[in-house]
Amino acid sequence: MPKLRGEAFWRETLRSAHYVVAPMVDQSELAWRLLSRRHGAQLCYTPMLHAQVFLRDANYRRENLYDEACPEDRPLIVQFCANDPEVFVQAALLAQDYCDAIDLNLGCPQMIAKRGHYGAFLQEEWDLLQRMILLANEKLSVPITCKIRIFPDIDKTVKYAQMLEKAGCQLLTVHGRTKEQKGPLAGVASWEHIQAVRKAVNIPVFANGNIQCLSDVQECIRKTGVHGVMSAEGNLHNPALFEGRNPLVWEMAEEYLEIVRKYPCPLSYVRAHLFKLWHHTLQVYQQLREELAKVKTLDGIVDVNRELKLRCQVPRWALIFQNCIACTWWEYTKKTDCNSMLQEEIANQKEGEKPKEGLPFFHWICQPYIRPGPKERCRENGDSGMEKGAWGKRALEEEEDGNSELLSKNKQKKKLRNPNKSFDPSLKQTSLKRGGIVAIEISIAAKYAKCDQCGNPKRAYGMWLLVVGHGLLFKTKYEKSLSWQHSQRGIQTPEISQRGDAEVGETAVLKEAGDSTG
């Protein structure tokens, strides 16, 4: 059967998919894809796979693709990151029988992509990208697609898309942000760039960015003319986004956990999904956040979900019961299904009954999370300004007393593991290297301190700790032997060089200080 291309590929193989779940590292695993498909998603991508690792590691292939083969999980596109044409094609050949297309990631803006030289950091290397896509288009039995980020300039973005189409790309996903727009600096995606690309190419185009609900999907298709819309964070916070529903958070969690029992995945993936689903509720019930972070089994996560459900339901029962005068509380709880009543309450929510948290719905309802910008994040952390360009960092003075409420999350975890640990800045050690002799300055009268080179505890004499050993020869052997000989005789080291003289002089002074203390 000949390989389908362009519009024919989108209509027949992808079944004219309009609603697409994005590739998300450690987040778009099989269980989550199946949950999303149950609630309106028509096409899913695997998480980004590293082509070189996929090629050399059979366990990596099995865990990330082969063991996840499922008839319900189609159509499916496998995404790779790569920067070598041969490696990319060889990895794709191993994956093509398990998917409907191979996607080349040209949109990842993270630092790991910069270090690995892939993703959005290849967008200036057009010759390399042409060779990769041409070779893949020639060798693979399935179409090749690309996911890109835009350039600030619309014309350059359009030329970039046209180059990929000419090389053999059969479908293009355009994320309407530049590679610099990420995290707190993400900002708003540019649909104007996406619209310009759609008009300039003859292959199907998917849009990505600014998608938080079904109305955003419809508006994006109307404004840009794209074939489909891809969602990442919107889908993570509400898997029923493409259905146009806002279900209860524990309902989605229960359904997802049932799928995970059938199609297991690492517990870290499950925990990460529930942190997203329960984001707004965990702002209210902080203790549940800690319990979810500590739990070690799937059954434990089920228990946390049950506890969250109980905590959210009891206040709503009480609120609904206040308006119910036709029956007693006991009769009401026996005769009424709580979830259906809550859904009815949401549907009949009046303008004057908005949630107190400033959200469009109550916190136990699946809804979008709007990522705060840098200024908003500073205000949330209680910072009046930005010192030295560091947003939201606490002043060191706040942590001097070791109060866990003022410590960062990482320091709180360390404190939990070691209750005696202190984060007082005055207890910190500063290391200085002087001509090959490592000296650690002790700001308090300590009996022991750690060596800067090996970490072993050494005896501290007064204000300085000398560590000369560990086989680290910072001087030449000749200089070192002369220094040792003259120190044994108790005379000053003769001048070898200006640098050697200074170094030996410091050694003698420090040795005398140690002898007087000892």
Side-chain angles (χ1 to χ4, degrees):
M1 181 179 176
K3 182 165 58 175
L4 297 177
R5 300 176 182 276
E7 292 275 351
F9 161 63
W10 174 70
R11 280 195 311 270
E12 297 182 30
T13 304
L14 302 185
R15 305 168 196 169
S16 301
H18 296 295
Y19 304 147
V20 186
V21 175
M24 298 173 284
V25 174
D26 296 345
Q27 296 281 266
S28 57
E29 81 286 356
L30 176 60
W32 189 260
R33 297 198 301 265
L34 293 178
L35 177 69
S36 300
R37 290 180 189 275
R38 289 183 183 182
H39 294 282
Q42 298 167 337
L43 171 65
C44 293
Y45 284 64
T46 67
M48 181 192 74
L49 305 177
H50 199 293
Q52 194 170 39
V53 180
F54 192 88
L55 183 59
R56 71 166 184 256
D57 192 336
N59 288 332
Y60 185 80
R61 294 195 294 270
R62 186 177 65 254
E63 292 169 3
N64 290 279
L65 185 62
Y66 295 172
D67 285 354
E68 292 195 346
C70 174
E72 303 170 41
D73 190 33
R74 303 298 281 267
L76 176 70
I77 296 180
V78 173
Q79 186 185 71
F80 284 106
C81 68
N83 55 22
D84 181 275
E86 289 294 338
V87 171
F88 173 55
V89 171
Q90 292 301 317
L93 286 169
L94 294 173
Q96 66 180 358
D97 293 336
Y98 297 85
C99 62
D100 298 287
I102 298 294
D103 185 77
L104 177 60
N105 184 334
L106 301 176
C108 181
Q110 303 303 326
M111 184 55 64
I112 191 172
K114 184 176 183 179
R115 290 196 296 266
H117 192 54
Y118 59 81
F121 298 93
L122 293 178
Q123 66 180 31
E124 296 286 358
E125 301 187 31
W126 291 16
D127 289 340
L128 172 62
L129 297 180
Q130 279 183 317
R131 286 188 283 116
M132 291 176 73
I133 296 170
L134 280 168
L135 187 61
N137 193 42
E138 176 187 344
K139 299 289 186 181
L140 299 180
S141 62
V142 295
I144 177 76
T145 69
C146 297
K147 185 174 186 291
I148 65 172
R149 283 196 170 223
I150 61 172
F151 291 95
D153 181 55
I154 291 182
D155 290 338
K156 187 173 182 179
T157 304
V158 167
K159 291 177 182 177
Y160 182 42
Q162 290 174 330
M163 178 274 294
L164 295 174
E165 178 189 18
K166 186 176 180 181
C169 176
Q170 302 303 318
L171 183 146
L172 196 60
T173 300
V174 183
H175 188 159
R177 294 184 176 91
T178 65
K179 69 176 185 293
E180 291 76 26
Q181 289 181 274
K182 58 183 179 180
L185 303 177
V188 178
S190 172
W191 286 356
E192 290 77 15
H193 284 71
I194 299 173
Q195 182 185 35
V197 170
R198 171 68 190 97
K199 290 179 178 178
V201 299
N202 297 314
I203 56 176
V205 175
F206 290 160
N208 183 208
N210 302 346
I211 305 302
Q212 299 289 352
C213 56
L214 186 59
S215 60
D216 292 337
V217 175
Q218 296 163 347
E219 183 73 4
C220 182
I221 292 176
R222 185 182 66 81
K223 284 190 173 182
T224 62
V226 293
H227 294 71
V229 172
M230 177 181 286
S231 175
E233 284 212 12
N235 166 262
L236 291 176
H237 287 277
N238 181 11
L241 181 151
F242 292 128
E243 283 185 325
R245 291 196 310 119
N246 296 88
L248 303 169
V249 292
W250 61 80
E251 281 186 348
M252 285 291 98
E254 287 172 354
E255 187 173 356
Y256 172 64
L257 293 172
E258 288 176 4
I259 299 174
V260 171
R261 288 194 185 278
K262 186 175 181 181
Y263 300 100
C265 65
L267 202 66
S268 60
Y269 296 7
V270 180
R271 187 182 288 110
H273 278 302
L274 295 187
F275 274 128
K276 293 281 189 181
L277 271 178
W278 298 346
H279 175 82
H280 300 294
T281 299
L282 293 179
Q283 307 304 310
V284 179
Y285 301 115
Q286 292 287 340
Q287 184 183 357
L288 292 179
R289 174 185 292 278
E290 296 175 9
E291 291 179 13
L292 179 59
K294 294 176 184 177
V295 72
K296 302 295 184 184
T297 63
L298 190 61
D299 290 333
I301 290 181
V302 171
D303 292 338
V304 176
N305 183 58
R306 188 180 299 113
E307 177 65 21
L308 179 139
K309 179 178 179 180
L310 289 173
R311 292 197 186 193
C312 291
Q313 281 183 333
V314 170
R316 304 320 306 156
W317 279 343
L319 180 62
I320 299 169
F321 179 64
Q322 288 176 0
N323 301 321
C324 179
I325 58 173
C327 60
T328 66
W329 170 256
W330 177 256
E331 291 172 339
Y332 174 76
T333 55
K334 285 294 183 182
K335 294 180 180 179
T336 308
D337 178 74
C338 178
N339 288 340
S340 62
M341 178 59 86
L342 289 179
Q343 292 288 8
E344 185 178 345
E345 180 196 11
I346 295 161
N348 297 331
Q349 182 176 307
K350 298 178 182 178
E351 195 64 32
E353 298 174 349
K354 292 294 182 183
K356 295 179 182 179
E357 297 86 2
L359 302 172
F361 302 104
F362 292 104
H363 62 78
W364 58 84
I365 305 301
C366 290
Q367 57 193 294
Y369 166 65
I370 308 300
R371 190 193 299 268
K375 293 182 180 178
E376 290 83 353
R377 192 176 292 274
C378 282
R379 284 196 291 269
E380 285 181 4
N381 291 335
D383 297 328
S384 57
M386 293 177 288
E387 186 177 356
K388 296 182 181 180
W391 292 314
K393 288 189 176 180
R394 298 171 177 83
L396 289 176
E397 292 77 19
E398 292 180 352
E399 300 181 358
E400 285 185 357
D401 59 352
N403 187 348
S404 62
E405 293 181 359
L406 299 175
L407 297 177
S408 66
K409 290 182 180 178
N410 283 337
K411 288 184 178 180
Q412 287 183 35
K413 290 178 182 177
K414 291 178 182 178
K415 190 82 174 175
L416 192 63
R417 291 194 294 267
N418 182 7
N420 297 322
K421 189 171 183 64
S422 174
F423 295 99
D424 188 342
S426 64
L427 303 181
K428 280 192 173 180
Q429 301 172 358
T430 14
S431 63
L432 304 171
K433 291 185 180 179
R434 299 184 178 181
I437 299 178
V438 180
I440 300 180
E441 184 181 358
I442 310 297
S443 56
I444 61 171
K447 187 176 181 181
Y448 291 96
K450 287 186 178 180
C451 169
D452 189 52
Q453 294 297 325
C454 67
N456 290 330
K458 298 291 180 183
R459 184 66 182 267
Y461 298 100
M463 295 294 291
W464 298 95
L465 172 70
L466 300 181
V467 182
V468 188
H470 310 307
L472 302 173
L473 302 181
F474 296 96
K475 305 181 193 178
T476 65
K477 292 182 178 179
Y478 177 65
E479 290 173 328
K480 190 174 178 66
S481 64
L482 286 179
S483 175
W484 180 81
Q485 290 171 9
H486 287 282
S487 65
Q488 291 295 311
R489 297 173 187 172
I491 62 175
Q492 188 175 357
T493 307
E495 183 174 350
I496 300 169
S497 63
Q498 185 176 358
R499 183 176 67 83
D501 186 43
E503 292 168 351
V504 175
E506 289 178 4
T507 305
V509 171
L510 293 172
K511 184 177 186 302
E512 289 174 5
D515 292 339
S516 62
T517 307

